[in-house]
Amino acid sequence: MIDEGVTVVDHLESPSATFDGPAEAFIRLVSGRLKAPYDTGVTVDGALSLDDLRRVFPGF
């Protein structure tokens, strides 16, 4: 669950979740276009899921 907001940074001492994947997948995520098959190899570890992040970045 995302309560207060989302911050995108290159490093954080104790993140609540981490996104790992190619740069193309990140760009697709923040533009609301990360769907299969472009999410292959993408992992999200921590308190959030990839579906949670998709809801945060719904696109335009």
Side-chain angles (χ1 to χ4, degrees), residues 28-53:
R28 285 180 172 279
L29 173 68
V30 298
S31 65
R33 297 176 41 227
L34 183 59
K35 298 175 177 33
Y38 305 106
D39 59 355
T40 302
V42 171
T43 59
V44 177
D45 295 314
L48 301 173
S49 69
L50 183 54
D51 286 335
D52 292 329
L53 291 177

Side-chain angles (χ1 to χ4, degrees), residues 1-8 12 14-20 29 42-57:
M1 180 168 78
I2 299 173
D3 293 339
E4 299 172 24
V6 174
T7 303
V8 177
L12 189 63
S14 51
S16 55
T18 58
F19 174 93
D20 187 37
L29 173 68
V42 171
T43 59
V44 177
D45 295 314
L48 301 173
S49 69
L50 183 54
D51 286 335
D52 292 329
L53 291 177
R54 285 180 173 134
R55 283 190 292 276
V56 171
F57 300 104

